[in-house]
């Protein structure tokens, strides 16, 4: 069982930046697939960025060039650097870890982009 805790969300003006963190309660490995998802009010949860095990990072078209996913296994943490934020990026952001046949989710962190 792995618990995930997101942090770093908040209120930011359009064009601003935030860095989200997702801390795992147990060790994470390169064989773990990890990713960031988001869910806006009234909408379904959608993939933002994914880091599959040993694979190529994947970004949703709507964030490509603005967001960067990274991880530090030693710190058991997944990151999402978000630049050039837009009002439509407003959502609750969740991190996800997939290991073997199990999937784990954090509780989410709110990101609000507004002037």
């Amino acid at each position: 069982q792995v618990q995930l805790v997101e942090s770093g969300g908040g209120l930011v003006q359009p064009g601003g930046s935030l860095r989200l963190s997702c801390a795992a309660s147990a060790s994470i490995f390169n064989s773990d697939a990890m990713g960031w998802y988001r869910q806006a009010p009234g909408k379904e949860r959608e993939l933002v960025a994914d880091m599959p095990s040993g694979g190529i990072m994947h970004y949703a078209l709507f964030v490509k060039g603005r967001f960067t996913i990274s991880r530090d296994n030693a710190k058991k943490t997944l990151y999402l650097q978000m630049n050039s934020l837009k009002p439509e990026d407003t959502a609750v952001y969740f991190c996800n870890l997939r290991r073997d046949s199990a999937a784990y989710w954090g509780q989410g962190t709110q990101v609000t982009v507004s002037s």
Side-chain angles (χ1 to χ4, degrees):
Q1 189 80 358
V2 179
Q3 293 181 333
L4 304 172
V5 179
E6 300 95 336
S7 62
L11 173 64
V12 63
Q13 292 187 342
S17 298
L18 283 175
R19 187 174 83 152
L20 305 183
S21 299
C22 172
S25 62
S27 296
I28 60 176
F29 309 99
N30 288 335
S31 57
D32 295 327
M34 300 188 75
W36 288 97
Y37 290 71
R38 72 185 187 186
Q39 187 167 17
K43 295 189 176 181
E44 293 187 354
R45 191 171 298 189
E46 60 184 357
L47 174 69
V48 175
D50 194 54
M51 184 176 284
S53 57
I56 298 173
M57 290 178 282
H58 171 74
Y59 294 92
L61 286 177
F62 54 76
V63 302
K64 214 166 187 178
R66 299 188 297 126
F67 293 8
T68 303
I69 187 172
S70 63
R71 62 196 283 175
D72 186 332
N73 289 351
K75 294 183 178 180
K76 301 183 291 184
T77 302
L78 179 74
Y79 301 100
L80 184 68
Q81 178 66 44
M82 306 188 295
N83 299 326
S84 302
L85 283 160
K86 305 175 181 180
E88 51 264 43
D89 294 319
T90 295
V92 178
Y93 284 71
F94 299 88
C95 72
N96 167 268
L97 182 150
R98 286 101 64 201
R99 176 181 295 169
D100 300 326
S101 60
Y104 304 94
W105 293 91
Q107 84 292 344
T109 185
Q110 176 71 47
V111 172
T112 302
V113 185
S114 175
S115 55

